[in-house]
Amino acid sequence: MSVLTPATAATGDAATPAGDPDLSKFGYTPQLRRSLSFTDLLFYGLIYMVPIAPFAIFGSVYQASSGMVALAYVAGLVVMLFTASSYAQMVRAFPIAGSVYNYAGRGIHPAVGFVAGWAIMLDYFLVPGLLYLVASVTINGAVPGVHAGIWLVGFVVINAVINYFGIRLTAVAINIMIAAELAVLGIFLVMGVIGLAEGRGNGDWTTAFFSSDNFSFGLVLGAVSVAALSFLGFDGISMLAEESKGGARQVGRAMSVVLLLAGLIFIAQTWVASLFVTDGAALIASADPAEVGNAFYAAAEAAAGAPWLATLCLVATAIAWGLPDSMVAQTALSRLLFAMARDKQLPGFLAKVSSRHASPVNAVLFTAVISLAISGSALYFLLEKGEDTITLIATMVNFGAMVAWLMLHAAVIWHYVVRNGSRNWFLHLIVPLVGAGLLIAVLVHMQLHSQITGLIWVGLGLVVLGVLYAIGRRPKLSGMGGE
């Protein structure tokens, strides 16, 4: 398929109809291929959220929540459902690629959209690097004969090649890989039930959900700020609004469904794992990163009564984070860069779309280079300098996403209630207000260094915005001015 230009758009093709109403009214010419079904979007969202994400951060969330790990995920799901509702409202108003960047920019003002896009780039830039870093270090532990750096480069190259050849191949690869990931999760849950039936559990059935001795709202919110890493990614579905066969409603529905499914999966696996933690007090008090990081695998070994399940879960984590999960993370970042470059808010070469594969090839390749640079640098400092770069990057990721989501909630209120006079008070006022309040509460209870790093990044974005205004390149979106 060739890229549609204004001259050729009149004829169109089967994959991208001419005069696509989801794009033409915003001043864009269709370039990306509409080929994704609801199932494709569902699988994409699930794999981006990483159904087995708690495997890697179970110990950290257990510590932060004083053992109430399942409660942290319940609270996180509630917070994210409010955010998903606002995403669904804005994708219906603006069914185009760019996610919160476009929603805040068109819902409020292009300058606000730039700041929102900049804020969430902290998440999108760092997540692929974090995934590659964790995957390469984890699989190096299982296969020490191959250096972690070789695994890292291999993961990046494989994903870049798949993304280069377009979203259809990416979707096929994702569907295959998520099946394997869910199979491992199913084995763990089944062995957990067998382990409980055979008396290998610790008998503590309720602490994962509530402990009167440790409970406080501040504690739970602080744990949510860690557990939120597992939820990041459901919003990535909105990046594919221009590649969805069913348009905006399909995208909004997919986000809500995938969030609910993933949340229930997270709650189930962390509750089962908590039943096999042999010494909860020791894990909560532990200062050993290795012990905390291996907490889930230790629970898996206890559930099976043998080390094979721990090894299976460890290898599954490495492969899942290194291939399908980082693949969709790179896909989302490339679409954000494409959307901002198309509006001339980033260098124009990032807006180039392959005439053969209908994918933003330059953005894909640039994303691969950035991911390799971030993960490679972090791997060097981890192995050579002994610095805990995994924790450092993980704690930086959530801040940018939550700041962008605050702007998303504000955009719902401004676009629907203030600008268009909506009287749907529940969806367009109450839900975004409650969602914003919950996000602020989580941000307040986030670790101090995460807050500082995040504020520095947002501050840098404001400086860049000021420079753009100073040189006469204030943010503008197609179909509307910079005002």
Side-chain angles (χ1 to χ4, degrees), residues 68 214-224 441 445:
M68 294 178 286
N214 299 321
F215 178 83
S216 73
F217 286 106
L219 179 74
V220 174
L221 290 170
V224 170
H445 290 87

Side-chain angles (χ1 to χ4, degrees), residues 15 32-37 40 167-168 171 242-245:
L32 304 178
R33 180 177 293 134
R34 288 195 179 277
S35 60
L36 299 181
S37 66
D40 290 331
I167 196 66
R168 186 66 255 168
E242 295 181 28
E243 295 161 271
S244 166
K245 293 179 181 177

Side-chain angles (χ1 to χ4, degrees), residues 209-282:
F209 287 99
F210 183 77
S211 171
S212 58
D213 294 334
N214 299 321
F215 178 83
S216 73
F217 286 106
L219 179 74
V220 174
L221 290 170
V224 170
S225 73
V226 180
L229 184 65
S230 300
F231 289 98
L232 297 182
F234 79 92
D235 57 313
I237 295 175
S238 64
M239 290 292 183
L240 304 178
E242 295 181 28
E243 295 161 271
S244 166
K245 293 179 181 177
R249 290 185 178 275
Q250 177 173 281
V251 171
R253 187 169 69 254
M255 280 194 290
S256 298
V257 172
V258 77
L259 183 60
L260 185 60
L261 284 175
L264 294 175
I265 290 171
F266 294 160
I267 293 165
Q269 66 187 274
T270 53
W271 178 51
V272 171
S274 72
L275 296 174
F276 294 96
V277 173
T278 56
D279 191 341

Side-chain angles (χ1 to χ4, degrees), residues 79-99:
V79 172
M80 297 304 163
L81 284 173
F82 280 96
T83 301
S85 174
S86 286
Y87 263 112
Q89 297 308 307
M90 294 310 289
V91 77
R92 290 183 182 183
F94 308 108
I96 49 183
S99 187

Side-chain angles (χ1 to χ4, degrees), residues 25 50 77 134 137 165 180 223 302 382 433 454 465:
K25 67 181 178 181
V50 192
L77 176 59
V134 172
V137 171
F165 284 103
L382 176 67
L433 281 176
L465 179 62

Side-chain angles (χ1 to χ4, degrees), residues 11 26 47 58 63 84 92 114 125 164 167 190 209 254 276 278 300 321 389 400 433 458-459 473:
T11 59
F26 298 110
I47 204 68
F58 172 79
Q63 274 194 330
R92 290 183 182 183
F114 176 87
F125 268 123
Y164 181 89
I167 196 66
V190 169
F209 287 99
F276 294 96
T278 56
W321 286 48
T389 50
L433 281 176
V458 173
R473 290 188 59 188

Side-chain angles (χ1 to χ4, degrees), residues 9-162:
T11 59
D13 66 18
T16 310
D20 186 339
D22 284 347
L23 294 178
S24 59
K25 67 181 178 181
F26 298 110
Y28 294 124
T29 299
Q31 291 178 288
L32 304 178
R33 180 177 293 134
R34 288 195 179 277
S35 60
L36 299 181
S37 66
F38 176 80
T39 302
D40 290 331
L41 294 178
L42 191 65
F43 276 32
Y44 176 93
L46 276 176
I47 204 68
Y48 197 167
M49 290 185 72
V50 192
I52 60 174
F55 284 18
I57 63 172
F58 172 79
S60 298
V61 179
Y62 194 99
Q63 274 194 330
S65 62
S66 292
M68 294 178 286
V69 60
L71 177 60
Y73 278 99
V74 171
L77 176 59
V78 171
V79 172
M80 297 304 163
L81 284 173
F82 280 96
T83 301
S85 174
S86 286
Y87 263 112
Q89 297 308 307
M90 294 310 289
V91 77
R92 290 183 182 183
F94 308 108
I96 49 183
S99 187
V100 69
Y101 151 71
N102 255 317
Y103 306 152
R106 296 179 183 278
I108 303 177
H109 188 280
V112 179
F114 176 87
V115 176
W118 182 274
I120 207 164
M121 270 200 292
L122 182 63
D123 166 15
Y124 285 169
F125 268 123
L126 292 178
V127 164
L130 175 63
L131 293 171
Y132 287 130
L133 177 63
V134 172
S136 58
V137 171
T138 301
I139 201 165
N140 176 249
V143 189
V146 180
H147 192 275
I150 296 177
W151 287 110
L152 191 152
V153 172
F155 288 142
V156 173
V157 170
I158 291 172
N159 285 340
V161 169
I162 292 176

